[in-house]
Amino acid sequence: MREDDVLAAVRELAPALRERAVEAEAQRRVPVSSVKELEETGFFRLLQPRAHGGLAADPAVFYAAVNEIAKACGSTGWAASVIGVHPWHVALYDPRAQEEVWGEDDSTRICSSYAPTGAVTPVDGGYRLSGRWHFSTACDHARWALLGGLVTDGEGRPVDMRTFLVPCTDYRVDDVWDTVGLRGTGSNDLLVDDAFVPEHRTLGYGPMAALACPGHEVNAEPLYRLPYATVFTTAISTSIVGIAEGAYEDYVAAARERLRVSHGQRAAEDPFAQVRIARAASGIDAARLQLSRNMADLYAVARSGEKPSTSLRARARRDQVLATERAVTAVGLLVENAGCSPMREGGSVLQRAWRDLHTGRGQAANDVERALVLYGQDALGIEVHDPML
């Protein structure tokens, strides 16, 4: 299987995903049939290491596939971007952990909840975890979870931030996801009750930021020399831009036929609608092109064997949050000019996109002001210390 074949297969699958968008919302999770068909395209293997049946593909192919999926169904695109990026993360772990995840079944999927909301207790040989982790997208379709946690010293002061790799036998899913937007992502809570996690199934943010992880010993592909923060946040923003692009295409197609009752003219002949279309298209294009440029530049650095500069990381973070902002703004322009019909109960593509985008905008990765401060600090010569770079 080649990465280009995967992208072509995803594009062929898109119409079926679009037809199931309403079903995804009704079920509050991505339909099993959609996950199965995405698996058959090879999508989930794009960022998986070759040593475990993956393609270790050019990240541009992965993000292009996410964009196609999100254009068809926002919830499925969001879930695919999150589940699809986790093999990349697991590839950074100790080889023993990778073998535990993929040794018997290299199609195993992993979910996550990175916010350190549970309790972590150091013990001999590892850690014990207990508590509730929120918003684990598509967790019903996964058999392992990546859970964030703070490691503290004897006086309760945080000394390390780590991610713990936990099998589904050590957690249970609490079905609490009931939202207005991204309703079909199935982002439920995970409950852990005193589970032991051996040291080799944990990974600190320090090694990831330094691009010096245990998994690099066995996964030498340049894909795994990319910054963690950029890989993950770009996945989120790519799905958001894809949602906006799908809404834009639907809006333009509808506007060609729509009659504006209040003005007695076709919407397509309204110059103000034409201006909004132009502004929305430009915002979406700018978002997509900047995301692509930054990842291409980072991948070129990785292929050269060098480490990316802080300035390049900061630029990627800047453009990632602004891509989300542009996508939300673009669809807002279209909604304001679409009349009341799209807001009827039952929902249209435009309404669903509007709801999905405003929900996705609230994800921690899309904290615009915080990311822009990082870029401004770097531009002004102030040393930047942040795990999100």
Side-chain angles (χ1 to χ4, degrees), residues 65-107:
V66 168
N67 185 75
E68 294 294 332
I69 298 166
K71 281 170 59 179
C73 172
S75 287
T76 304
W78 179 281
S81 74
V82 173
I83 294 294
V85 83
H86 290 150
W88 180 90
H89 193 181
V90 173
L92 306 182
Y93 274 69
D94 187 296
R96 290 172 292 174
Q98 297 180 48
E99 183 64 22
E100 288 179 68
V101 173
W102 291 310
E104 294 184 2
D105 182 2
D106 61 16
S107 66

Side-chain angles (χ1 to χ4, degrees), residues 280-301:
S282 179
I284 293 168
D285 282 351
R288 184 177 58 247
L289 290 170
Q290 283 189 310
L291 291 175
S292 298
R293 178 194 67 164
N294 290 331
M295 190 52 63
D297 288 351
L298 284 163
Y299 194 49
V301 172

Side-chain angles (χ1 to χ4, degrees), residues 20 38 45 72 80 82 104 106 121 132 140 175 196 198 201 253 281 293 301 306 326 332 374 387:
R20 295 191 197 115
L38 279 170
R45 296 180 183 272
V82 173
E104 294 184 2
D106 61 16
T121 305
R132 178 183 291 269
D140 291 302
D175 186 357
F196 173 71
R201 279 204 264 118
R293 178 194 67 164
V301 172
E306 301 296 322
R326 288 189 179 104
L374 296 179

Side-chain angles (χ1 to χ4, degrees), residues 284-347:
I284 293 168
D285 282 351
R288 184 177 58 247
L289 290 170
Q290 283 189 310
L291 291 175
S292 298
R293 178 194 67 164
N294 290 331
M295 190 52 63
D297 288 351
L298 284 163
Y299 194 49
V301 172
R303 288 200 306 268
S304 74
E306 301 296 322
K307 291 186 178 181
S309 65
T310 300
S311 294
L312 178 53
R313 295 184 186 210
R315 190 188 82 189
R317 186 82 173 98
R318 175 200 72 186
D319 295 341
Q320 172 260 315
V321 294
L322 290 179
T324 291
E325 187 175 81
R326 288 189 179 104
V328 173
T329 299
V331 171
L333 286 169
L334 303 179
V335 167
E336 291 167 4
N337 193 247
C340 293
S341 293
M343 291 300 160
R344 287 173 174 162
E345 188 174 356

Side-chain angles (χ1 to χ4, degrees), residues 41 105 144 147 157 159 177 229 328 340 344 348 367:
T41 68
D105 182 2
W144 286 78
L147 304 179
R157 292 172 297 197
V159 295
W177 185 250
V328 173
C340 293
R344 287 173 174 162
S348 65
D367 189 337

